[in-house]
Amino acid sequence: MKTIINLFETSVRKYAKNTFLWEKKTNKFEPLTFEETKKQVYRFAAGLMSMGIQAGDKIALLSEGRNDWIIGELAILYTGAVNVPLSIKLEEKKDLIFRLNHSESKYILVSGTQLRKIRLIVNDIPMIEKIIVLDAIDAYDGKEIPLENILADGDRFLETGTDELIARSNAVKDDDMANISYTSGTTADPKGIMLSHRNYTANVEQSMSLIKIKPEDSNLIIIPLDHCFGHVAGFYTFMAYGANVATIQVGKTPIESLKNIPLNINEFKPTIILSVPALAKNFRKNIESSIQKKGKRIEKLFKRALNTAYEYNREGFNKGGIKQLHKRLLLAVYDKFLFSKVRGAMGGKMKFFVGGGALLDIELQRFFYAIGIPMYQGYGLSEATPVISSNSVKKHKLGSSGGLVKYLDLKILDLEGNELPLGEKGEIVVKGENVMLGYWKNPEATAETIRDGWLHTGDMGYMDKDGFLYVLGRFKSLLISSDGEKYSPEGIEEGICEKTKYLDQMMLHNNQDPYTIALVVPDKVQLKRYVERIKPGLDWNTVDAKELCLKKIQEVINRYKSGGIYAGEYPERWLPSAIAVLPEAFTEQNLLLNSSLKMVRGKIEEKYKDRMEFLYTPDGKNIVNDLNILALK
């Protein structure tokens, strides 16, 4: 048997005295050993059993990352129940109501800061019997119970019922459900991904085939724990290696928690951090901002050092060589006086990042590689629990999503389902013990996604001759020209926005149309500065100022067209011939980004249908038009 319970018990036996969890509740991080963690899990699980929780019951968990999150999940699993982890980013009442009712959750574990959301919807979730509040609060309503009561009940239960708890946990089987993990629901109601105990332990074994961790290594978890990436890469793989896991200090507000991230990095000094593209970009912005504050001379030196590192490192696997020996010596100097200082600002012990999300810009990868904290980009999706591939210390190629994990089969298929040869682009399809059980109460979607045991990811990519996977974007969100040729847009969108400060977001569109169009979200702050620099004294609210900005945006796009400085970087037919400037950003709040911060293309197209139609008119092709001027107000 290979359940999560087996994994935990094995680690406790091997690493009993090693620190497993770290948490900062007051003024410093406090440790909890594997042995102490097990005691807390038993207390929590026994308390749940004393409440009458049965094997197979669904228990929702809505909380920021913390010891109680990890211990709470393990406690749920020891009782044979199923954890339904919920994102703390869910703000809409209907989002929570749907997930709680659809999952048939009977109980909720909730933090004090998230409790308000549950109180707003308590009358809309009739199946909920008890709400266990993880933090002490002044007063408890109806179904609410303090965690301390559950733990006290657990202590009493264990006086005579330890054997009963062990028997219950031993009865859990490999293929029993561990989680129902909900998708973001970008096109319809979210789907509940059923992940088994074996899905998780198999993916831990697969991840361990690529990423090696020592017991003294430590991870500060800054990504949400509700996602299976946070589970597998965040704490279950570290558990298997006998290593350390810490969580960000929970603030009184989400903003306060965010501000704790850099502070906690410096305090805890992790050796490894999990990241996603949005976080990677923020880290880089903060680093570059601190360099700029040191003056022009240091800024120029830093850029020179970066360029030298880029030339020396190339794509990582092919770095160095005899002809570049002088650069190696020069980089040693740069590292001592520049890059080591940057690493010091991030705790000073960082070895590398593990990057999730398929489309981390290669220039961003080169940046972190240059400063001596490589971001080893990987690829996966929740339906695969999630890790499919990753770069690693021993095997990496910048720009790729790394080599495949062991114990996994992969093939690339065309639109008709035929397997393609090495190097050709098509849909990524995988098969292994990490493939989900299916979608909860949705056999139609399950049958569409899993065929003959193969998981159809919906992502486009290819394998190169060196065994590296390249992920190019969504297989079904392709640009399709009038002659039927297809192209994935994400690389162009990300690449253009990365290389300019004037555009924050971009969505390309071509559905068998005469030409490609773009919806762009400008950075108005940078555009205002541009106007002030080019035409000092020109009032931002004038049409002249707006026209100046629109022409600048057009200039940014033209750089990639024939004669431009980036000409040839992308096929010209997929660059936009008409541009709509939008008045607001794509965000989670307006539902135009999902919880993974990916664009919800269908909803964007629906919202801006009229603007998109206008772009296929003669007036729309001219970027200086009334609609674009209005959008810049």
Side-chain angles (χ1 to χ4, degrees):
M1 286 174 60
K2 295 182 178 179
T3 65
I4 293 171
I5 297 161
N6 302 146
L7 169 63
F8 179 56
E9 291 282 349
T10 300
S11 292
V12 172
R13 284 194 298 274
K14 288 171 69 175
Y15 307 110
K17 302 301 181 184
N18 284 23
T19 298
F20 176 39
L21 301 178
W22 293 86
E23 185 173 39
K24 184 185 178 189
K25 287 186 175 179
T26 53
N27 61 347
K28 66 177 182 176
F29 279 93
E30 301 285 353
L32 202 63
T33 67
F34 276 85
E35 194 171 53
E36 290 165 338
T37 304
K38 178 179 173 178
K39 289 177 182 175
Q40 294 297 325
V41 170
Y42 274 44
R43 290 181 74 205
F44 206 147
L48 295 176
M49 284 180 66
S50 71
M51 284 177 60
I53 285 172
Q54 300 297 314
D57 281 349
K58 315 300 184 299
I59 304 177
L61 205 170
L62 178 64
S63 171
E64 302 77 12
R66 56 202 293 169
N67 283 1
D68 287 337
W69 204 110
I70 297 169
I71 291 167
E73 166 151 293
L74 288 168
I76 290 168
L77 300 180
Y78 265 76
T79 69
V82 179
N83 181 20
V84 182
L86 300 173
S87 170
I88 60 171
K89 293 180 181 179
L90 296 172
E91 288 292 344
E92 292 290 321
K93 291 199 297 183
K94 63 182 180 181
D95 290 334
L96 281 170
I97 292 168
F98 175 84
R99 287 161 172 78
L100 289 166
N101 287 335
H102 183 263
S103 64
E104 300 173 8
S105 293
K106 290 185 178 180
Y107 307 88
I108 306 174
L109 307 184
V110 62
S111 67
T113 53
Q114 298 296 314
L115 179 60
R116 62 173 180 82
K117 297 177 183 177
I118 300 301
R119 285 180 170 177
L120 287 172
I121 62 171
V122 70
N123 294 326
D124 299 304
I125 45 176
M127 289 186 68
I128 297 297
E129 296 176 15
K130 296 292 181 184
I131 299 165
I132 301 167
V133 185
L134 301 177
D135 298 293
I137 56 175
D138 293 335
Y140 296 85
D141 293 345
K143 299 178 179 180
E144 297 167 7
I145 308 173
L147 173 60
E148 61 185 40
N149 289 13
I150 301 298
L151 298 178
D153 289 344
D155 290 336
R156 285 188 288 273
F157 184 95
L158 291 173
E159 289 174 7
T160 57
T162 302
D163 290 345
E164 188 180 342
L165 171 61
I166 292 171
R168 178 82 73 87
S169 65
N170 285 341
V172 177
K173 302 292 189 294
D174 297 14
D175 289 334
D176 286 346
M177 237 196 302
N179 282 176
I180 299 177
S181 180
Y182 279 89
T183 64
S184 50
T186 56
T187 53
D189 283 335
K191 295 191 284 285
I193 299 166
M194 297 186 289
L195 299 177
S196 70
H197 281 257
R198 183 54 188 152
N199 287 155
Y200 273 114
T201 59
N203 202 232
V204 168
E205 291 166 12
Q206 290 167 327
S207 299
M208 292 170 78
S209 74
L210 291 182
I211 303 292
K212 305 301 179 186
I213 297 169
K214 296 177 180 178
E216 59 267 26
D217 278 323
S218 57
N219 172 27
L220 178 63
I221 303 179
I222 59 178
I223 63 170
L225 289 184
D226 61 277
H227 194 280
C228 54
F229 180 48
H231 279 67
V232 171
F235 57 90
Y236 283 140
T237 299
F238 278 75
M239 177 192 290
Y241 277 118
N244 299 248
V245 171
T247 46
I248 293 295
Q249 184 178 14
V250 179
K252 293 177 182 177
T253 65
I255 295 296
E256 191 176 307
S257 295
L258 275 175
K259 287 180 178 177
N260 284 336
I261 291 176
L263 299 174
N264 289 172
I265 288 173
N266 273 306
E267 292 168 311
F268 184 66
K269 304 185 187 308
T271 62
I272 298 163
I273 287 181
L274 308 185
S275 187
V276 293
L279 281 170
K281 290 172 188 173
N282 281 337
F283 282 137
R284 178 175 181 169
K285 280 182 182 177
N286 290 340
I287 290 168
E288 290 179 331
S289 176
S290 66
I291 293 291
Q292 285 170 3
K293 288 175 183 175
K294 295 183 186 298
K296 290 288 183 185
R297 191 173 66 84
I298 296 296
E299 188 179 0
K300 282 183 180 179
L301 188 62
F302 185 72
K303 286 180 179 177
R304 192 181 308 149
L306 278 180
N307 288 332
T308 304
Y310 290 178
E311 291 166 4
Y312 180 80
N313 292 332
R314 289 186 280 190
E315 285 72 49
F317 76 106
N318 56 354
K319 71 177 178 181
I322 295 173
K323 291 182 179 179
Q324 297 214 78
L325 186 59
H326 65 292
K327 288 179 186 170
R328 181 177 178 180
L329 299 172
L330 188 57
L331 280 174
V333 177
Y334 284 143
D335 191 78
K336 182 176 181 179
F337 293 103
L338 283 174
F339 296 148
S340 63
K341 303 293 189 296
V342 173
R343 295 196 298 275
M346 298 191 73
K349 293 185 177 181
M350 281 279 292
K351 294 179 179 178
F352 57 83
F353 292 93
V354 176
L359 294 169
L360 181 63
D361 182 71
I362 186 171
E363 210 279 329
L364 206 56
Q365 291 182 46
R366 287 192 172 115
F367 175 84
F368 286 104
Y369 202 86
I371 66 173
I373 316 175
M375 186 164 286
Y376 293 124
Q377 178 70 1
Y379 164 68
L381 71 165
S382 298
E383 288 86 345
T385 326
V387 184
I388 288 173
S389 69
S390 182
N391 286 283
S392 63
V393 175
K394 288 189 176 179
K395 183 182 180 182
H396 55 268
K397 184 183 282 191
L398 304 187
S400 81
S401 288
L404 291 187
V405 297
K406 285 186 179 178
Y407 325 117
L408 181 77
D409 296 319
L410 178 145
K411 55 187 180 182
I412 306 294
L413 303 182
D414 65 15
L415 286 166
E416 284 72 46
N418 302 309
E419 189 167 358
L420 294 167
L422 192 70
E424 288 200 24
K425 298 180 291 186
E427 184 180 14
I428 300 167
V429 180
V430 298
K431 187 176 189 178
E433 288 187 278
N434 56 318
V435 171
M436 68 172 179
L437 298 175
Y439 294 114
W440 174 246
K441 297 194 295 191
N442 196 338
E444 297 83 6
T446 300
E448 174 64 23
T449 306
I450 303 176
R451 300 172 225 160
D452 298 322
W454 289 89
L455 173 67
H456 290 249
T457 67
D459 288 323
M460 174 182 269
Y462 67 93
M463 292 292 297
D464 75 3
K465 60 181 176 58
D466 298 316
F468 289 91
L469 178 65
Y470 284 79
V471 183
L472 306 173
R474 292 299 291 168
F475 187 59
K476 293 179 181 176
S477 67
L478 302 174
L479 301 173
I480 306 174
S481 66
S482 55
D483 61 5
E485 189 179 337
K486 301 175 181 68
Y487 197 89
S488 185
E490 281 99 330
I492 302 177
E493 295 161 344
E494 289 273 333
I496 291 177
C497 289
E498 278 293 327
K499 283 187 178 177
T500 180
K501 58 187 176 183
Y502 299 111
L503 297 181
D504 280 339
Q505 296 166 310
M506 172 188 292
M507 192 193 85
L508 297 175
H509 172 87
N510 191 335
N511 188 17
Q512 302 184 61
D513 295 308
Y515 49 83
T516 302
I517 60 173
L519 304 179
V520 303
V521 175
D523 186 325
K524 291 182 183 177
V525 172
Q526 291 294 344
L527 286 172
K528 283 181 181 178
R529 288 176 182 167
Y530 171 73
V531 170
E532 289 166 6
R533 190 170 69 253
I534 300 300
K535 290 279 182 75
L538 181 60
D539 186 347
W540 168 256
N541 295 311
T542 62
V543 172
D544 286 348
K546 304 298 191 291
E547 286 187 0
L548 203 59
C549 293
L550 292 172
K551 288 174 182 176
K552 185 62 181 177
I553 292 170
Q554 184 65 65
E555 180 196 316
V556 167
I557 301 300
N558 289 345
R559 291 173 187 173
Y560 296 85
K561 296 185 177 181
S562 180
I565 58 171
Y566 301 128
E569 196 156 318
Y570 308 112
E572 192 151 337
R573 73 181 307 178
W574 305 119
L575 294 170
S577 297
I579 299 165
V581 177
L582 304 183
E584 64 171 338
F586 308 142
T587 66
E588 289 180 88
Q589 288 68 40
N590 61 22
L591 307 180
L592 301 182
L593 291 183
N594 65 20
S595 60
S596 301
L597 303 182
K598 294 177 182 175
M599 290 184 291
V600 186
R601 293 178 184 272
K603 290 184 179 177
I604 293 170
E605 289 169 0
E606 182 183 330
K607 179 166 183 172
Y608 293 109
K609 183 173 179 286
D610 292 343
R611 295 291 305 275
M612 292 169 69
E613 287 176 356
F614 176 66
L615 293 178
Y616 289 105
T617 68
D619 288 342
K621 283 197 79 172
N622 182 358
I623 195 169
V624 180
N625 60 63
D626 291 345
L627 293 176
N628 282 344
I629 289 170
L630 193 62
L632 285 173
K633 282 192 174 179

